[in-house]
């Protein structure tokens, strides 16, 4: 069964940092683009970043460029999102999702940026 | 950035009725890169339709997608109680990947 499990969310102060992880199972992780998508409370979906299977390409939404870094470790079947200089508007559930078809999605991990 | 505008924002229908959801793009989108997702409360989104008209694995045939260029449609032929949810369209043909703001399908 293909499965994605996010972890690492929590409460952090503005300006702080957090590292999210997404552990994959049930498929050949290195063969797929992987994405991070977020959803602010009561709001819609916003794509955050994605990374190619061999890490040769990475792209970000403008609002996180220079603050967030997407990476992966194919030996550990894991995807990461390093989030620095966090702002209140980064508060959201963060999902990882496989491939350009965003299928499947993990269950999400909640990040709250507040003092 | 390609902006996707979904309409209506909320659609109130009864089980058994037909639902038609619209997604309009600010620039032409290749059908290959247009997808639809369903999200129920407290759950992650789920892929419904890819390539504008192909159903994902396990998706019932009452769901269908159509359209091209800047206008795309998701149709649910006969609503079942489990279909009441929020639906998002998405394009991934041009960076940044963008989602529509969603259509909430609620029970009338």
């Amino acid at each position: 069964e293909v499965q994605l499990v996010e972890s690492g969310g929590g409460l952090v102060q503005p300006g702080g940092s957090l590292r999210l992880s997404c552990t994959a199972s049930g498929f050949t992780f290195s063969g797929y683009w992987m994405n991070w998508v977020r959803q602010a409370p009561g709001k819609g979906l916003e794509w955050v970043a994605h990374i190619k299977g061999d890490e040769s390409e990475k792209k970000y939404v403008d609002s996180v460029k220079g603050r967030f870094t997407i990476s992966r470790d194919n030996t550990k079947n894991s995807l990461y999102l390093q989030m620095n200089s966090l702002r209140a508007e980064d508060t959201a559930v963060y999902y990882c999702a496989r491939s350009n078809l965003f299928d499947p999605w993990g269950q999400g991990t909640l990040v709250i940026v507040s003092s | 950035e390609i902006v996707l505008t979904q309409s209506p924002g909320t659609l109130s229908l009864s089980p058994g009725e037909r639902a038609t959801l619209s997604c309009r793009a600010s620039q032409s989108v290749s059908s290959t890169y247009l997808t639809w997702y369903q999200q129920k409360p407290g759950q992650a989104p789920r892929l419904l339709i890819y390539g504008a008209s192909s159903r994902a694995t396990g998706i019932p045939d009452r769901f269908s997608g159509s359209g091209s260029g800047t206008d795309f449609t998701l149709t649910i032929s006969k609503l079942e109680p489990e279909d009441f949810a929020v639906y998002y369209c998405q394009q991934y043909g041009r960076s940044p990947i963008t989602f529509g703001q969603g259509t909430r399908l609620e029970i009338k």
Side-chain angles (χ1 to χ4, degrees), chain A residues 5 32 45 55:
Chain A
V5 178
Y32 289 85
L45 302 170
E55 288 197 89

Side-chain angles (χ1 to χ4, degrees), chain B:
Chain B
E1 172 178 324
I2 296 178
V3 176
L4 300 178
T5 302
Q6 293 185 240
S7 61
T10 302
L11 186 57
S12 300
L13 294 170
S14 300
E17 291 192 292
R18 180 184 186 90
T20 303
L21 287 67
S22 172
C23 175
R24 179 162 290 179
S26 60
Q27 308 171 37
S28 184
V29 174
S30 169
S31 297
T32 302
Y33 305 121
L34 194 288
T35 54
W36 290 91
Y37 300 88
Q38 176 194 66
Q39 187 178 31
K40 296 181 180 179
Q43 296 184 17
R46 174 175 74 146
L47 175 67
L48 281 181
I49 299 286
Y50 64 94
S53 60
S54 298
R55 277 187 301 278
T57 302
I59 302 302
D61 61 7
R62 64 180 180 273
F63 290 90
S64 63
S66 63
S68 63
T70 60
D71 289 296
F72 298 90
T73 301
L74 174 69
T75 301
I76 311 171
S77 60
K78 191 175 177 183
L79 286 165
E80 297 286 343
E82 62 267 27
D83 298 336
F84 291 91
V86 180
Y87 292 85
Y88 295 94
C89 60
Q90 178 220 41
Q91 69 79 28
Y92 63 94
R94 292 189 190 178
S95 188
I97 294 168
T98 51
F99 291 89
Q101 83 280 15
T103 290
R104 181 178 304 276
L105 179 55
E106 63 177 27
I107 299 177
K108 188 173 181 180

Side-chain angles (χ1 to χ4, degrees), chain A residues 5 18-20 35 40-41 45 48 53 68 83 92 99 107 110-111:
Chain A
V5 178
L18 212 53
R19 188 198 196 205
L20 305 183
N35 301 273
L45 302 170
V48 173
F68 290 11
M83 304 186 294
S99 86
Q107 86 289 349
L110 176 61
V111 173

